Amino acid sequence: MVGLFAQYEEGPFFDEMFAPGGRVRSHYQRLYNRFTEMSAEDVTRKHLVAERAFMTQGVTFTVYNNEQGTERIFPFDLIPRIIPAAEWDLIERGLTQRITALNLFLRDIYHEQKIIADKVIPEGIIRSAVHFRPEMVGLSVPKDAYIHICGTDLIRDDQGRYMVLEDNGRCPSGVSYLLQNRQAMKRVFPNLFARYLVRPVDAYGSDLLNLLRHVAPAGTDDPTVVLLTPGIYNSAYFEHSFLARSMGIEIVVGADLLVRDDRVWMKTTSGLKKVDVIYRRIDDDFLDPKVFRKESVLGVPGIVEAYRKGNVSLANAIGTGVADDKVVYYFVPAMIRYYLDQDPILPNVETYLSYFDQDRAYILEHLDRLVVKSANESGGYGMLMGPQASAEERERFAQAIRQNPRNYVAQPMVSLSRVPAVCEGRVEGRHIDLRPFILYGDKISIVPGGLTRVALRKGSLVVNSSQGGGSKDTWVLHE
């Protein structure tokens, strides 16, 4: 290794750019050559150009309860992650299989519940799921599509095997950063980008709009689609506004809509306009105070009844959160076998359920070796990194597990793959994951690449932006 990589340490991890012995993997060779031509000052200058572009575009996210302020520029690393065509083919097939099974599962548990009757999943797991909605039982949704947009998190272990870490089936965030990262890379490295055959990502907005129009109520020829946001104080508001602009649709808050005669109407300067499809970025709990949380002022009173009558479509459907419960995640490989009669193409990370007595005993005996997660937390919250935790933290989780076994899963600490990242003028290895975005409509499409999240703190395995993570552009090659 030379130039900026001269001091690079691979470590005992799967490295995306370097094979054992420091040999550059072939699909990274041109990128490696380009960066070795650059000085630390060149890299700093390009990083400033990218950062300025993000500031101009307002590419931000919100961190709650932080003394340094809430609004942040999303950290961006200049060295892209590259995925060869054969690897992407495996990921696409695996995610297609998974989203198909998840939608069949949701259709089943809100109708016949065969998977429970056949004892593939314990009934108690479903009934006790925080996001299981009894109000949806017996209600059919357009095209039998429940999760229309899904962000499934993938990692690679120390052998380079792709594994599913979790499914985000409610309101997955991050696709706007994926799209902005691509724009930044084209601006900062136009010649390098042109030398690679990288699959484009800029069709996402039109693909998403086509999907939303596809699930419009029957008989609607030219549906009106809107994006419903909780408002400007939501951590993902930048993304909400970005996606609405990309699709050329209105972004609305609850107060902009009303329900009359079991139909949803949007208030406009020229009067009321009927709404047919809502891409809602509000959780079920806040969607309709007549049905869910009575105190919510974010949603629209009566919208669920309009939904039940088939007068408006919602994406994602109400009740999809049961599928991204981390306890239900445990059963996804079984769902794939049950509904599709196939073996999973992408395996889960080995997982223990404290719901089961034997697993709970194992978890409590091995807390110092395991990662423990709460069933419905996200963003890196509600998690114990056992090997790095203090005795007091482990004891606190042990008590929580004993008090509420349904709420916890545990996994062995996976040595996430690493990739070179620019850190204060040096190039060092940092751990990463990958969140591809899957659209489930008249066809299944997956934006090539997804959002690569980077744990920018040295040695950290937590990639969430709220925990000090950043992101990279992800290049999927044509061949």
Side-chain angles (χ1 to χ4, degrees):
M1 300 181 203
V2 298
L4 290 168
F5 297 93
Q7 304 300 317
Y8 188 78
E9 297 177 358
E10 297 165 50
F13 310 100
F14 183 88
D15 195 287
E16 301 282 341
M17 182 183 281
F18 297 103
R23 180 174 56 82
V24 180
R25 299 186 193 275
S26 59
H27 53 284
Y28 271 100
Q29 189 65 56
R30 278 174 286 187
L31 180 78
Y32 174 81
N33 294 343
R34 178 67 184 94
F35 271 82
T36 55
E37 294 168 354
M38 297 166 59
S39 65
E41 291 73 24
D42 294 332
V43 171
T44 300
R45 189 166 54 252
K46 286 185 177 293
H47 186 260
L48 288 174
V49 170
E51 199 168 69
R52 200 172 299 127
F54 284 121
M55 291 180 70
T56 303
Q57 297 293 322
V59 185
T60 61
F61 69 103
T62 301
V63 178
Y64 299 118
N65 303 320
N66 191 290
E67 294 177 355
Q68 298 175 15
T70 58
E71 204 73 10
R72 305 280 180 80
I73 297 294
F74 197 66
F76 172 70
D77 186 72
L78 280 178
I79 303 177
R81 180 212 197 132
I82 302 177
I83 300 177
E87 281 181 19
W88 183 247
D89 176 65
L90 173 79
I91 292 171
E92 271 195 321
R93 289 188 291 110
L95 294 178
T96 297
Q97 180 191 58
R98 197 171 180 97
I99 193 68
T100 303
L102 285 171
N103 272 295
L104 289 169
F105 163 71
L106 287 163
R107 169 68 177 74
D108 187 19
I109 63 163
Y110 286 120
H111 289 82
E112 297 84 1
Q113 300 189 346
K114 293 178 182 174
I115 198 167
I116 294 174
D118 289 338
K119 302 187 183 309
V120 177
I121 299 178
E123 183 174 6
I125 292 286
I126 302 300
R127 297 289 178 198
S128 61
V130 171
H131 297 291
F132 175 70
R133 300 297 181 194
E135 299 87 350
M136 287 290 290
V137 173
L139 178 65
S140 294
V141 300
K143 321 290 185 189
D144 279 338
Y146 286 79
I147 303 180
H148 307 89
I149 303 108
C150 186
T152 293
D153 293 343
L154 304 178
I155 58 173
R156 302 183 82 174
D157 65 6
D158 56 0
Q159 302 301 308
R161 293 183 305 166
Y162 285 97
M163 309 169 83
V164 178
L165 188 61
E166 63 183 51
D167 303 289
N168 297 280
R170 281 180 287 164
C171 301
S173 293
V175 73
S176 59
Y177 303 120
L178 177 167
L179 299 170
Q180 290 290 324
N181 287 350
R182 177 58 51 85
Q183 293 303 315
M185 284 304 293
K186 284 182 176 178
R187 183 177 294 115
V188 176
F189 289 105
N191 296 329
L192 173 64
F193 189 86
R195 287 202 293 271
Y196 273 94
L197 290 173
V198 181
R199 297 190 195 182
V201 298
D202 44 14
Y204 183 82
S206 59
D207 288 348
L208 178 58
L209 182 59
N210 289 337
L211 159 65
L212 295 171
R213 292 171 63 88
H214 171 69
V215 296
T220 309
D221 295 331
D222 185 19
T224 297
V225 183
V226 300
L227 187 152
L228 176 61
T229 175
I232 61 173
Y233 298 110
N234 184 266
S235 62
Y237 183 75
F238 162 76
E239 175 153 302
H240 302 167
S241 58
F242 177 87
L243 290 174
R245 283 199 311 275
S246 299
M247 291 187 281
I249 64 173
E250 297 288 340
I251 182 171
V252 296
V253 295
D256 296 324
L257 302 177
L258 62 84
V259 175
R260 183 176 292 172
D261 299 328
D262 293 329
R263 286 176 168 74
V264 180
W265 303 84
M266 176 170 51
K267 302 169 190 172
T268 75
T269 53
S270 56
L272 297 179
K273 182 175 184 180
K274 188 163 73 73
V275 173
D276 304 297
V277 183
I278 300 175
Y279 179 28
R280 50 93 176 212
R281 296 294 295 258
I282 294 179
D283 282 344
D284 293 349
D285 280 343
F286 303 98
L287 192 59
D288 186 342
K290 286 187 172 181
V291 179
F292 302 118
R293 292 178 63 157
K294 310 298 182 194
E295 75 278 16
S296 173
V297 295
L298 300 176
V300 185
I303 196 171
V304 170
E305 189 58 26
Y307 184 54
R308 285 183 179 136
K309 295 280 178 62
N311 294 329
V312 69
S313 298
L314 298 174
N316 289 339
I318 296 171
T320 57
V322 65
D324 62 16
D325 183 309
K326 291 180 177 61
V327 175
V328 175
Y329 153 91
Y330 173 91
F331 296 96
V332 176
M335 291 177 202
I336 292 170
R337 295 188 181 95
Y338 182 75
Y339 293 115
L340 304 178
D341 194 23
Q342 299 171 2
D343 289 326
I345 295 170
L346 294 171
N348 276 10
V349 175
E350 182 182 12
T351 301
Y352 303 92
L353 293 192
S354 63
Y355 180 85
F356 297 137
D357 293 343
Q358 188 172 347
D359 281 19
R360 184 167 64 256
Y362 180 85
I363 293 169
L364 292 171
E365 289 173 10
H366 298 87
L367 277 178
D368 59 339
R369 303 181 198 173
L370 298 171
V371 178
V372 181
K373 298 176 180 176
S374 302
N376 292 289
E377 295 280 1
S378 60
Y381 297 104
M383 186 166 71
L384 176 81
M385 304 288 279
Q388 300 167 4
S390 66
E392 290 76 16
E393 288 172 317
R394 289 198 290 269
E395 179 53 31
R396 183 158 48 83
F397 263 77
Q399 289 182 19
I401 290 168
R402 292 188 189 101
Q403 289 172 0
N404 186 6
R406 164 63 177 81
N407 195 47
Y408 291 94
V409 304
Q411 297 169 328
M413 184 82 88
V414 177
S415 296
L416 304 186
S417 66
R418 293 202 324 187
V419 67
V422 179
C423 306
E424 298 178 352
R426 292 164 50 90
V427 174
E428 297 180 349
R430 290 292 184 268
H431 295 290
I432 56 173
D433 76 353
L434 178 67
R435 177 175 291 180
F437 291 88
I438 310 153
L439 298 180
Y440 186 89
D442 59 333
K443 60 180 180 179
I444 297 172
S445 63
I446 305 169
V447 60
L451 180 67
T452 291
R453 300 185 299 177
V454 191
L456 290 174
R457 291 178 188 153
K458 189 170 186 177
S460 174
L461 294 168
V462 183
V463 299
N464 306 83
S465 56
S466 55
Q467 307 287 320
S471 71
K472 289 173 169 287
D473 194 14
T474 309
W475 293 1
V476 173
L477 304 183
H478 276 290
E479 55 186 22

